[in-house]
Amino acid sequence: MKKIKILGILVLLSRILYSQSSFVIEYDNPGNGVLRYTFETSTGDFISLGGQKNRPNPIPEPAHIFKINSSGEIINELVFSKPDTLLLLHYGYEKSNGNYFLLGILSDTLPTQYFNLTNFTYACEITPEFDLIWEKYYAIPEPYNRQQICNFIRDADSNLYVHASADSSMEGFDNVLMTMKFDKYGNQLDLNIYGEWHSDSPYNEMIFNSDS
């Protein structure tokens, strides 16, 4: 059994920025479990999101959602499975109605020797009790067959801007820069694909820097 480690470098920031707490949790998980993002709720709990690493696996792999209190106790958890798919959650936040908006990547295609083909962007809204309200799927444009979500910016109207990279190679990487925009209802408002990105390119800063 492999353990997911929920690292508690989670800083509880009050409005006057003086309270602080941290914790570490280890959670048994079979396979390649990973947590991608944690956000704090208005009740002082934390929501941690993740799933399985993007490695070839013919078995469908679910997403994982944990609710953790300020003492580091897991008070709710959900293995968010979908038939014949891989789902990995990358980002979330609490909406003004108290529900949670979640975003991730999804594959409905059998993996190659090297990769799961994460060819869809996935958005959903769930309640604090982890009941599903709605979900939406968006295919990435052909000829691209997989993506990696890199960074996020959310504006005052709760529109979400996503920096990602997309690949068309079945065995390697071409790392084309992709940007997306979603509203708080999960509607994809915009998608753009730019020139080929390399690690020594100016696109490096744009993909991984949330201020870009």
Side-chain angles (χ1 to χ4, degrees):
M1 300 286 283
K2 197 166 187 176
K3 291 181 182 291
I4 291 180
K5 184 174 285 188
I6 304 174
L7 292 177
I9 312 173
L10 305 171
V11 180
L12 307 179
L13 293 175
S14 68
R15 293 190 177 183
I16 52 177
L17 301 177
Y18 65 74
S19 68
Q20 180 172 313
S21 179
S22 63
F23 50 82
V24 173
I25 297 173
E26 289 189 348
Y27 184 82
D28 286 335
N29 172 257
N32 300 310
V34 61
L35 293 175
R36 293 289 188 182
Y37 193 81
T38 298
F39 63 93
E40 188 177 1
T41 72
S42 58
T43 60
D45 298 322
F46 296 93
I47 305 297
S48 285
L49 310 169
Q52 304 294 326
K53 293 179 182 177
N54 189 16
R55 297 176 179 173
N57 189 344
I59 301 172
E61 296 176 332
H64 300 277
I65 309 172
F66 300 93
K67 179 178 282 190
I68 307 161
N69 66 20
S70 58
S71 300
E73 299 172 304
I74 296 175
I75 56 178
N76 198 3
E77 61 184 271
L78 174 65
V79 177
F80 195 10
S81 61
K82 296 194 156 299
D84 303 321
T85 61
L86 172 146
L87 176 60
L88 177 60
L89 296 171
H90 278 261
Y91 179 80
Y93 69 90
E94 184 179 21
K95 298 178 63 173
S96 60
N97 63 5
N99 292 335
Y100 308 142
F101 177 99
L102 309 179
L103 189 83
I105 56 178
L106 182 147
S107 173
D108 67 346
T109 306
L110 289 176
T112 68
Q113 179 182 355
Y114 300 96
F115 302 106
N116 287 299
L117 301 180
T118 48
N119 51 336
F120 284 85
T121 307
Y122 175 83
C124 73
E125 180 175 341
I126 63 173
T127 69
E129 294 76 33
F130 294 172
D131 296 318
L132 182 66
I133 303 297
W134 52 256
E135 59 183 353
K136 298 179 181 181
Y137 310 80
Y138 300 96
I140 60 176
E142 295 182 349
Y144 304 105
N145 54 44
R146 68 185 191 278
Q147 62 178 312
Q148 290 291 333
I149 292 180
C150 304
N151 229 320
F152 314 89
I153 301 172
R154 185 159 51 93
D155 66 19
D157 296 321
S158 293
N159 294 311
L160 182 64
Y161 301 84
V162 180
H163 290 171
S165 64
D167 292 289
S168 58
S169 170
M170 299 297 284
E171 298 182 0
F173 298 91
D174 45 26
N175 287 325
V176 171
L177 174 62
M178 181 170 68
T179 62
M180 298 175 282
K181 179 182 178 180
F182 298 88
D183 65 18
K184 61 185 177 180
Y185 305 108
N187 298 310
Q188 188 178 73
L189 305 180
D190 195 19
L191 184 149
N192 293 288
I193 294 180
Y194 300 91
E196 188 174 62
W197 170 78
H198 298 286
S199 60
D200 58 351
S201 160
Y203 291 135
N204 183 32
E205 289 295 321
M206 186 173 184
I207 290 177
F208 292 104
N209 184 355
S210 60
D211 295 329
S212 61

